[in-house]
Amino acid sequence: MSSRRTTAITGTLVTASFSAVMILSGTAGAEDQGPGSSKGGKVVDKAPTGVRFTTLLPEKISVDNGSKETDITATVKNEGTKESGKIRLLVVGFDGLTVKNVQGCSPIDEKNLPEGSNSGYACSIDNLAAGRSKSYAVDATFDLGKTGKICLPVQTSDGKKTFWQQGPVPFGTTNPSPNAPATPLLLGTDNKPVAPGSDELPKTGPGVAPLGAAGAALMAAGAAGVWWSRRRPGPRTN
């Protein structure tokens, strides 16, 4: 084989390899939900001494424009110095965001859902050691013709106390993509639907919706024990 032909083939292989890297990188980026955020969260009831909870939601998600399906990662973390004991994490959907499944968790009966919500799952945790976290894969749908919010309360195992609650916090679009296969949504951005009958996708308002803007406050909900505190966020205590 001549050196010229060898050089040409080598150049082709290098180009192909570079293209493959670009394709793989693009695919990974499309699935990346970005860093986790506790935006919209606050302390409700005082946690046991040495225990401090927080939750995290992705900064961005992507909604399939055809199926309306989306994947969300919900994380609960013990930032304290002592183990938590038995607790539970709730994943609750509002408005256009409907929680279809949370891996390893149980659905909340419709009669026990908080007022204003459309779906929810309860995740039981036997113990969360100091500095440790636990993440759950959430399958959901998002109707882009509506607003959509999610709520993550962290409670005692019997639901009588809520130590921490993130949300209801909205997801919304800042880049309408009617001809694209998916629409990106950002955490803390209120999705503003267009007028009925329009072919356009919802537009996004500039501000972050207040914590109480769920259409209705989270109320006591029977055995589920989901509730929303109207109190202003208090300082975290160990």
Side-chain angles (χ1 to χ4, degrees), residues 10 64 107 135 151 171:
T10 302
D64 186 290
S135 296
C151 187
F171 277 103

Side-chain angles (χ1 to χ4, degrees), residues 3-24:
S3 60
R4 180 179 298 177
R5 179 173 174 77
T6 302
T7 301
I9 293 174
T10 302
T12 301
L13 291 174
V14 170
T15 302
S17 299
F18 179 75
S19 299
V21 169
M22 292 297 290
I23 292 172
L24 290 174

Side-chain angles (χ1 to χ4, degrees), residues 79-231:
E79 296 183 332
T81 57
K82 295 184 178 180
E83 58 186 25
S84 69
K86 291 185 177 182
I87 57 171
R88 69 178 185 179
L89 171 71
L90 304 183
V91 183
V92 185
F94 291 82
D95 305 327
L97 193 157
T98 303
V99 180
K100 295 294 185 180
N101 186 56
V102 181
Q103 188 174 12
C105 304
S106 302
I108 299 173
D109 291 338
E110 184 176 353
K111 64 180 180 180
N112 291 325
L113 287 172
E115 185 177 347
S117 68
N118 57 44
S119 54
Y121 280 73
C123 308
S124 298
I125 302 172
D126 288 336
N127 186 54
L128 196 58
R132 299 300 297 271
S133 63
K134 188 172 180 61
S135 296
Y136 295 90
V138 180
D139 295 328
T141 58
F142 195 109
D143 184 348
L144 293 170
K146 301 178 181 179
T147 58
K149 301 179 181 70
I150 191 169
C151 187
L152 302 181
V154 181
Q155 303 180 328
T156 53
S157 59
D158 58 8
K160 292 183 177 180
K161 288 187 177 182
T162 299
F163 299 124
W164 167 267
Q165 182 166 297
Q166 184 175 8
V169 62
F171 277 103
T173 177
T174 59
N175 183 25
S177 307
N179 298 319
T183 296
L185 304 182
L186 297 180
L187 181 68
T189 302
D190 196 26
N191 197 53
K192 291 189 176 180
V194 295
S198 173
D199 291 333
E200 297 180 9
L201 286 178
K203 296 182 180 180
T204 303
V208 175
L211 295 183
L218 277 175
M219 306 291 288
V226 189
W227 61 283
W228 171 257
S229 171
R230 293 181 179 273
R231 299 197 298 272

